[in-house]
Tab-separated table of all heavy atoms in Angstrom:
chain	number	residue	atom	x	y	z
A	5	PRO	N	94.493	33.568	142.965
A	5	PRO	CA	95.469	32.509	142.653
A	5	PRO	C	96.666	33.027	141.843
A	5	PRO	O	97.772	32.509	141.981
A	5	PRO	CB	94.655	31.504	141.841
A	5	PRO	CG	93.237	31.765	142.210
A	5	PRO	CD	93.149	33.230	142.515
A	6	ASP	N	96.452	34.063	141.034
A	6	ASP	CA	97.551	34.615	140.232
A	6	ASP	C	98.585	35.340	141.080
A	6	ASP	O	99.752	35.433	140.697
A	6	ASP	CB	97.010	35.592	139.179
A	6	ASP	CG	96.169	34.897	138.121
A	6	ASP	OD1	96.325	33.666	137.937
A	6	ASP	OD2	95.352	35.585	137.484
A	7	LEU	N	98.169	35.878	142.223
A	7	LEU	CA	99.068	36.672	143.068
A	7	LEU	C	99.546	35.940	144.320
A	7	LEU	O	100.525	36.347	144.941
A	7	LEU	CB	98.374	37.971	143.494
A	7	LEU	CG	97.906	38.900	142.381
A	7	LEU	CD1	97.175	40.105	142.967
A	7	LEU	CD2	99.061	39.332	141.498
A	8	ARG	N	98.862	34.875	144.682
A	8	ARG	CA	99.107	34.198	145.963
A	8	ARG	C	100.572	33.876	146.210
A	8	ARG	O	101.094	34.089	147.303
A	8	ARG	CB	98.274	32.922	146.052
A	8	ARG	CG	98.468	32.183	147.380
A	8	ARG	CD	97.456	31.083	147.567
A	8	ARG	NE	96.128	31.689	147.520
A	8	ARG	CZ	95.077	31.113	146.947
A	8	ARG	NH1	95.184	29.942	146.385
A	8	ARG	NH2	93.911	31.722	146.956
A	9	TYR	N	101.263	33.358	145.225
A	9	TYR	CA	102.646	32.918	145.438
A	9	TYR	C	103.671	33.984	145.054
A	9	TYR	O	104.866	33.752	145.128
A	9	TYR	CB	102.899	31.597	144.718
A	9	TYR	CG	102.106	30.489	145.377
A	9	TYR	CD1	100.851	30.124	144.895
A	9	TYR	CD2	102.572	29.866	146.524
A	9	TYR	CE1	100.097	29.151	145.522
A	9	TYR	CE2	101.833	28.888	147.159
A	9	TYR	CZ	100.588	28.538	146.660
A	9	TYR	OH	99.842	27.581	147.300
A	10	MET	N	103.171	35.152	144.658
A	10	MET	CA	104.056	36.286	144.421
A	10	MET	C	104.265	37.017	145.738
A	10	MET	O	103.626	36.709	146.746
A	10	MET	CB	103.439	37.247	143.397
A	10	MET	CG	103.338	36.690	142.012
A	10	MET	SD	102.664	37.979	140.922
A	10	MET	CE	102.539	37.058	139.414
A	11	THR	N	105.151	38.002	145.714
A	11	THR	CA	105.389	38.825	146.897
A	11	THR	C	105.410	40.293	146.496
A	11	THR	O	105.231	40.639	145.321
A	11	THR	CB	106.743	38.492	147.561
A	11	THR	OG1	107.799	38.956	146.708
A	11	THR	CG2	106.895	37.008	147.849
A	12	ALA	N	105.700	41.137	147.446
A	12	ALA	CA	105.833	42.573	147.198
A	12	ALA	C	106.974	42.875	146.239
A	12	ALA	O	107.073	43.991	145.733
A	12	ALA	CB	106.047	43.308	148.515
A	13	ASP	N	107.817	41.904	145.962
A	13	ASP	CA	108.892	42.087	144.984
A	13	ASP	C	108.361	42.055	143.545
A	13	ASP	O	109.079	42.422	142.622
A	13	ASP	CB	109.965	41.001	145.148
A	13	ASP	CG	110.730	41.145	146.442
A	13	ASP	OD1	110.829	42.278	146.966
A	13	ASP	OD2	111.256	40.126	146.937
A	14	ASP	N	107.123	41.602	143.373
A	14	ASP	CA	106.536	41.449	142.047
A	14	ASP	C	105.596	42.616	141.732
A	14	ASP	O	104.726	42.968	142.537
A	14	ASP	CB	105.772	40.123	141.961
A	14	ASP	CG	106.692	38.931	142.172
A	14	ASP	OD1	107.614	38.758	141.360
A	14	ASP	OD2	106.490	38.192	143.155
A	15	GLU	N	105.759	43.177	140.539
A	15	GLU	CA	104.973	44.351	140.130
A	15	GLU	C	103.465	44.132	140.216
A	15	GLU	O	102.741	45.037	140.669
A	15	GLU	CB	105.380	44.803	138.726
A	15	GLU	CG	104.676	46.065	138.281
A	15	GLU	CD	104.908	47.258	139.198
A	15	GLU	OE1	106.046	47.426	139.701
A	15	GLU	OE2	103.956	48.025	139.440
A	16	PRO	N	102.919	42.973	139.802
A	16	PRO	CA	101.456	42.811	139.918
A	16	PRO	C	100.947	42.947	141.354
A	16	PRO	O	99.854	43.464	141.577
A	16	PRO	CB	101.204	41.404	139.375
A	16	PRO	CG	102.351	41.140	138.450
A	16	PRO	CD	103.536	41.831	139.095
A	17	VAL	N	101.737	42.519	142.319
A	17	VAL	CA	101.337	42.655	143.726
A	17	VAL	C	101.383	44.128	144.129
A	17	VAL	O	100.444	44.647	144.754
A	17	VAL	CB	102.229	41.800	144.652
A	17	VAL	CG1	101.977	42.125	146.121
A	17	VAL	CG2	101.999	40.320	144.380
A	18	ARG	N	102.449	44.824	143.770
A	18	ARG	CA	102.562	46.248	144.104
A	18	ARG	C	101.405	47.035	143.488
A	18	ARG	O	100.788	47.871	144.144
A	18	ARG	CB	103.905	46.809	143.640
A	18	ARG	CG	105.075	46.272	144.439
A	18	ARG	CD	106.373	47.017	144.152
A	18	ARG	NE	106.788	46.946	142.757
A	18	ARG	CZ	107.537	45.978	142.236
A	18	ARG	NH1	107.947	44.967	142.998
A	18	ARG	NH2	107.883	46.003	140.965
A	19	THR	N	101.089	46.740	142.232
A	19	THR	CA	99.998	47.428	141.547
A	19	THR	C	98.666	47.156	142.246
A	19	THR	O	97.864	48.078	142.452
A	19	THR	CB	99.933	46.984	140.068
A	19	THR	OG1	101.166	47.345	139.442
A	19	THR	CG2	98.768	47.629	139.337
A	20	ALA	N	98.417	45.909	142.616
A	20	ALA	CA	97.164	45.547	143.288
A	20	ALA	C	97.038	46.257	144.640
A	20	ALA	O	95.984	46.814	144.962
A	20	ALA	CB	97.073	44.032	143.474
A	21	VAL	N	98.103	46.244	145.417
A	21	VAL	CA	98.032	46.849	146.749
A	21	VAL	C	97.901	48.369	146.649
A	21	VAL	O	97.026	48.968	147.280
A	21	VAL	CB	99.260	46.460	147.612
A	21	VAL	CG1	99.274	47.242	148.922
A	21	VAL	CG2	99.259	44.957	147.892
A	22	LEU	N	98.753	49.005	145.870
A	22	LEU	CA	98.715	50.467	145.776
A	22	LEU	C	97.474	50.977	145.055
A	22	LEU	O	97.092	52.136	145.218
A	22	LEU	CB	99.989	50.988	145.106
A	22	LEU	CG	101.267	50.749	145.919
A	22	LEU	CD1	102.488	51.201	145.129
A	22	LEU	CD2	101.198	51.433	147.278
A	23	GLY	N	96.815	50.096	144.299
A	23	GLY	CA	95.572	50.454	143.639
A	23	GLY	C	94.341	50.228	144.496
A	23	GLY	O	93.221	50.508	144.073
A	24	THR	N	94.523	49.727	145.689
A	24	THR	CA	93.409	49.468	146.594
A	24	THR	C	92.920	50.790	147.186
A	24	THR	O	93.718	51.541	147.754
A	24	THR	CB	93.844	48.528	147.735
A	24	THR	OG1	94.284	47.294	147.174
A	24	THR	CG2	92.702	48.263	148.703
A	25	PRO	N	91.623	51.090	147.056
A	25	PRO	CA	91.102	52.326	147.647
A	25	PRO	C	91.453	52.396	149.140
A	25	PRO	O	91.314	51.431	149.871
A	25	PRO	CB	89.591	52.213	147.443
A	25	PRO	CG	89.446	51.326	146.243
A	25	PRO	CD	90.582	50.335	146.361
A	26	GLY	N	91.934	53.559	149.535
A	26	GLY	CA	92.290	53.788	150.934
A	26	GLY	C	93.774	53.649	151.221
A	26	GLY	O	94.277	54.298	152.137
A	27	ILE	N	94.477	52.813	150.491
A	27	ILE	CA	95.903	52.600	150.776
A	27	ILE	C	96.713	53.884	150.577
A	27	ILE	O	97.484	54.266	151.477
A	27	ILE	CB	96.482	51.429	149.954
A	27	ILE	CG1	95.927	50.094	150.460
A	27	ILE	CG2	98.003	51.420	149.996
A	27	ILE	CD1	96.421	49.632	151.814
A	28	PRO	N	96.583	54.586	149.453
A	28	PRO	CA	97.372	55.823	149.314
A	28	PRO	C	97.087	56.838	150.426
A	28	PRO	O	98.010	57.477	150.938
A	28	PRO	CB	96.954	56.362	147.940
A	28	PRO	CG	96.511	55.147	147.186
A	28	PRO	CD	95.843	54.279	148.220
A	29	ASP	N	95.822	56.959	150.825
A	29	ASP	CA	95.476	57.873	151.909
A	29	ASP	C	96.079	57.422	153.235
A	29	ASP	O	96.519	58.250	154.044
A	29	ASP	CB	93.956	57.986	152.059
A	29	ASP	CG	93.299	58.688	150.886
A	29	ASP	OD1	93.982	59.476	150.182
A	29	ASP	OD2	92.097	58.450	150.659
A	30	LEU	N	96.094	56.120	153.467
A	30	LEU	CA	96.668	55.601	154.708
A	30	LEU	C	98.184	55.824	154.743
A	30	LEU	O	98.744	56.133	155.794
A	30	LEU	CB	96.334	54.115	154.875
A	30	LEU	CG	96.722	53.492	156.212
A	30	LEU	CD1	96.087	54.235	157.387
A	30	LEU	CD2	96.322	52.019	156.239
A	31	VAL	N	98.837	55.682	153.607
A	31	VAL	CA	100.277	55.965	153.545
A	31	VAL	C	100.518	57.425	153.926
A	31	VAL	O	101.402	57.725	154.747
A	31	VAL	CB	100.868	55.649	152.155
A	31	VAL	CG1	102.295	56.166	152.045
A	31	VAL	CG2	100.830	54.148	151.878
A	32	GLU	N	99.736	58.329	153.350
A	32	GLU	CA	99.905	59.752	153.669
A	32	GLU	C	99.622	60.024	155.145
A	32	GLU	O	100.314	60.823	155.782
A	32	GLU	CB	99.015	60.616	152.775
A	32	GLU	CG	99.515	60.720	151.359
A	32	GLU	CD	100.958	61.208	151.250
A	32	GLU	OE1	101.344	62.174	151.937
A	32	GLU	OE2	101.719	60.582	150.484
A	33	ALA	N	98.607	59.376	155.697
A	33	ALA	CA	98.298	59.538	157.122
A	33	ALA	C	99.450	59.027	157.983
A	33	ALA	O	99.770	59.620	159.018
A	33	ALA	CB	97.000	58.809	157.467
A	34	ALA	N	100.082	57.943	157.562
A	34	ALA	CA	101.225	57.410	158.303
A	34	ALA	C	102.403	58.378	158.265
A	34	ALA	O	103.125	58.534	159.257
A	34	ALA	CB	101.626	56.038	157.760
A	35	VAL	N	102.608	59.036	157.116
A	35	VAL	CA	103.661	60.052	157.025
A	35	VAL	C	103.402	61.150	158.051
A	35	VAL	O	104.308	61.554	158.792
A	35	VAL	CB	103.753	60.644	155.594
A	35	VAL	CG1	104.636	61.882	155.560
A	35	VAL	CG2	104.261	59.601	154.610
A	36	VAL	N	102.163	61.624	158.122
A	36	VAL	CA	101.802	62.668	159.082
A	36	VAL	C	102.022	62.168	160.510
A	36	VAL	O	102.564	62.882	161.357
A	36	VAL	CB	100.338	63.125	158.868
A	36	VAL	CG1	99.879	64.052	159.985
A	36	VAL	CG2	100.196	63.808	157.513
A	37	ALA	N	101.619	60.927	160.785
A	37	ALA	CA	101.786	60.368	162.134
A	37	ALA	C	103.258	60.247	162.505
A	37	ALA	O	103.641	60.554	163.645
A	37	ALA	CB	101.093	59.004	162.221
A	38	VAL	N	104.089	59.823	161.576
A	38	VAL	CA	105.533	59.724	161.844
A	38	VAL	C	106.081	61.095	162.212
A	38	VAL	O	106.837	61.239	163.186
A	38	VAL	CB	106.287	59.128	160.630
A	38	VAL	CG1	107.790	59.344	160.758
A	38	VAL	CG2	105.974	57.643	160.493
A	39	HIS	N	105.703	62.115	161.463
A	39	HIS	CA	106.175	63.471	161.773
A	39	HIS	C	105.657	63.944	163.128
A	39	HIS	O	106.375	64.644	163.856
A	39	HIS	CB	105.796	64.437	160.664
A	39	HIS	CG	106.642	64.262	159.451
A	39	HIS	ND1	106.125	63.896	158.243
A	39	HIS	CD2	107.985	64.369	159.265
A	39	HIS	CE1	107.101	63.804	157.355
A	39	HIS	NE2	108.236	64.073	157.953
A	40	ALA	N	104.433	63.572	163.484
A	40	ALA	CA	103.886	63.949	164.785
A	40	ALA	C	104.696	63.304	165.913
A	40	ALA	O	105.061	63.969	166.887
A	40	ALA	CB	102.414	63.544	164.878
A	41	TYR	N	104.998	62.005	165.776
A	41	TYR	CA	105.833	61.337	166.785
A	41	TYR	C	107.205	61.992	166.872
A	41	TYR	O	107.740	62.209	167.955
A	41	TYR	CB	106.002	59.851	166.462
A	41	TYR	CG	104.881	58.984	166.947
A	41	TYR	CD1	103.870	58.576	166.086
A	41	TYR	CD2	104.824	58.557	168.264
A	41	TYR	CE1	102.830	57.777	166.520
A	41	TYR	CE2	103.791	57.758	168.717
A	41	TYR	CZ	102.795	57.371	167.839
A	41	TYR	OH	101.768	56.581	168.285
A	42	ALA	N	107.774	62.324	165.728
A	42	ALA	CA	109.124	62.886	165.699
A	42	ALA	C	109.183	64.296	166.274
A	42	ALA	O	110.256	64.747	166.691
A	42	ALA	CB	109.655	62.889	164.264
A	43	SER	N	108.060	64.989	166.307
A	43	SER	CA	108.071	66.354	166.818
A	43	SER	C	107.732	66.438	168.301
A	43	SER	O	107.729	67.518	168.871
A	43	SER	CB	107.105	67.228	166.014
A	43	SER	OG	105.770	66.810	166.240
A	44	GLY	N	107.461	65.310	168.927
A	44	GLY	CA	107.113	65.304	170.340
A	44	GLY	C	108.284	65.731	171.219
A	44	GLY	O	109.432	65.787	170.770
A	45	PRO	N	108.001	66.024	172.470
A	45	PRO	CA	109.045	66.515	173.366
A	45	PRO	C	110.163	65.502	173.630
A	45	PRO	O	111.275	65.887	173.970
A	45	PRO	CB	108.287	66.848	174.657
A	45	PRO	CG	106.994	66.125	174.561
A	45	PRO	CD	106.698	65.938	173.104
């Protein structure tokens, strides 16, 4: 209830999302995937 009406513009939401196990690893995996797409023929 404390975060429901907030958005990604609010620090508590950013902290909650980026503190979620797996999110930092998924961001890094997405960086790798973007580079893989960009290096294709």
Side-chain angles (χ1 to χ4, degrees):
D6 293 338
L7 301 177
R8 181 169 301 142
Y9 292 95
M10 292 183 184
T11 70
D13 292 333
D14 298 298
E15 184 58 39
V17 170
R18 291 191 300 272
T19 299
V21 172
L22 294 176
T24 300
I27 290 289
D29 292 336
L30 187 57
V31 170
E32 286 305 315
V35 168
V36 171
V38 166
H39 286 118
Y41 276 99
S43 67

